[in-house]
Amino acid sequence: APARAEKVPEAAAPAKEKNGAAAAPPTPGTVPVTPAPAAPKPAASSAKKDDKPSIADLFAADVLEYGPAPEDGSVAHAWLESHGRDFGHFVDGKWLKPDGRGRYTSRCPADGTKLADVCQGDADDVEAAVSSARAAQQKWAALPGHARARVLYSIARHVQKHARLFAVLESLDNGKPIRETRDADVELVVRHLYHYAGWAELMETEMAGWKPVGVVGAIVPWNFPLMLLTWKVCPALAAGNSVVLKPATYTSLSALLFAEVCKEAGLPDGVFNVVTGAGRFGSTLACHPDVDKVAFTGSTGVGQLLRRAVAGSGKKISLELGGKSPFIVFD
């Protein structure tokens, strides 16, 4: 029978988009998907983000409190207050405050606040300190090296114990960043003390025949008050000498603290003394007849004056002056 022609349905007219353009026909083999209705927008919140308190707001409202920083200045101010913010010399293991002396006000370079008043000594104060050092030196030198090593080791441990106090006080008095005093100065001071404790221990075998000089007059500048102090004091004490130290006028507080810590660590009275005063006060110390060696760090001009002052006296002298980086150029 002849095939019957079937009526092919006409293709549906393409749907039109809202803008009137014809929509693309569906791809063969795919099923058109009806788009899901758009999700309803959330209702506007009555609370704004600005209403949420910030961290700064919480601190301002005393909801949270800042903890004390490890380098908080209170530890240094407490030590200063314990001395009434008024210091004399440290001679023969005790504080010496002679009458009729001038005072110098030590201030924090950062903000100018007063830290303490410091005595301005004269020749009588030098005489007292050098006499104490002379009397103590003979007994100190008579000790075996092991005994001196134990004392230096003890001083190192006590400096570590008071490391925060040293770092904060040095920063306040000198003005250098706490990072430098904490991570460099105090750490090097401790290492020097340990190192020269080893010197004292080995001196009788490794340095046989060497003998102490006697009384050392040490003068240090303001830029590294504590660290330069130990550079001079440690080898002197290890070898059996006694020391009279004159710190810089502007930065004497860490030297006075160091003297107090030496006393606490068991250093015999008179072995280490600190006298404070103006710049020319150092010449008075250097020219004292019972000072056997002068150790000075400072400007070239002052070093020349000291060299002339002690010339012909028989004193030993070491000078670390302003030219710190000499070099030789070979052609």
Side-chain angles (χ1 to χ4, degrees):
R4 292 183 300 174
E6 296 182 357
K7 185 179 181 180
V8 179
E10 296 180 0
K16 292 184 179 181
E17 295 182 347
K18 291 182 179 180
N19 57 5
T27 304
T30 60
V31 179
V33 178
T34 304
K41 295 182 179 180
S45 174
S46 59
K48 297 181 180 179
K49 291 184 178 180
D50 295 339
D51 294 337
K52 184 178 179 180
S54 65
I55 299 298
D57 295 332
L58 294 176
F59 280 111
D62 292 333
V63 177
L64 299 175
E65 295 181 358
Y66 287 104
E71 297 81 16
D72 183 68
S74 60
V75 62
H77 289 291
W79 180 76
L80 295 171
E81 289 292 346
S82 69
H83 291 275
R85 295 185 182 270
D86 187 82
F87 292 88
H89 311 297
F90 196 88
V91 175
D92 199 25
K94 55 185 177 291
W95 294 103
L96 176 65
K97 291 184 179 181
D99 297 329
R101 303 294 189 269
R103 315 298 294 172
Y104 175 80
T105 300
S106 183
R107 298 184 180 275
C108 175
D111 54 15
T113 57
K114 175 182 175 180
L115 297 175
D117 290 325
V118 182
C119 181
Q120 300 292 280
D122 61 14
D124 292 338
D125 303 333
V126 170
E127 179 64 35
V130 174
S131 298
S132 174
R134 174 64 67 188
Q137 188 270 329
Q138 298 178 7
K139 297 179 181 178
W140 177 247
L143 293 175
H146 175 72
R148 294 197 300 272
R150 291 180 62 182
V151 175
L152 287 170
Y153 188 90
S154 176
I155 296 173
R157 294 293 290 166
H158 279 74
V159 171
Q160 286 181 307
K161 174 184 176 182
H162 300 291
R164 182 182 300 177
L165 172 57
F166 274 107
V168 175
L169 184 66
E170 187 84 328
S171 180
L172 289 174
D173 196 27
N174 173 270
K176 62 176 63 181
I178 185 66
R179 182 176 180 179
E180 183 174 339
T181 61
R182 178 195 62 204
D183 300 341
D185 292 0
V186 176
E187 294 297 322
L188 288 173
V189 166
V190 173
R191 291 178 64 182
H192 271 75
L193 287 163
Y194 282 134
H195 176 77
Y196 286 103
W199 269 37
E201 179 72 27
L202 300 174
M203 187 173 177
E204 295 172 358
T205 56
E206 301 299 323
M207 302 179 68
W210 290 61
K211 62 180 182 179
V213 173
V215 177
V216 176
I219 306 170
V220 296
W222 57 267
N223 52 348
F224 290 91
L226 183 63
M227 190 168 67
L228 288 175
L229 175 160
T230 56
W231 287 11
K232 302 186 185 308
V233 171
C234 290
L237 296 186
N241 302 287
S242 59
V243 179
V244 178
L245 175 79
K246 190 270 176 190
T249 307
Y250 309 115
T251 55
S252 56
L253 296 180
S254 58
L256 294 169
L257 172 60
F258 185 79
E260 189 176 75
V261 168
C262 287
K263 169 73 173 180
E264 177 186 298
L267 185 68
D269 295 345
V271 175
F272 178 59
N273 308 272
V274 178
V275 290
T276 55
R280 61 175 60 91
F281 185 60
S283 297
T284 305
L285 172 62
C287 295
H288 193 284
D290 276 342
V291 171
D292 301 297
K293 173 181 169 58
V294 178
F296 171 77
T297 299
S299 68
T300 302
V302 175
Q304 291 173 340
L305 292 175
L306 289 175
R307 188 67 188 93
R308 295 190 187 101
V310 303
S313 65
K315 300 178 187 292
K316 295 180 180 295
I317 184 169
S318 58
L319 302 172
E320 182 190 5
L321 306 180
K324 296 181 288 298
S325 303
F327 59 92
I328 300 175
V329 178
F330 292 94
D331 188 0

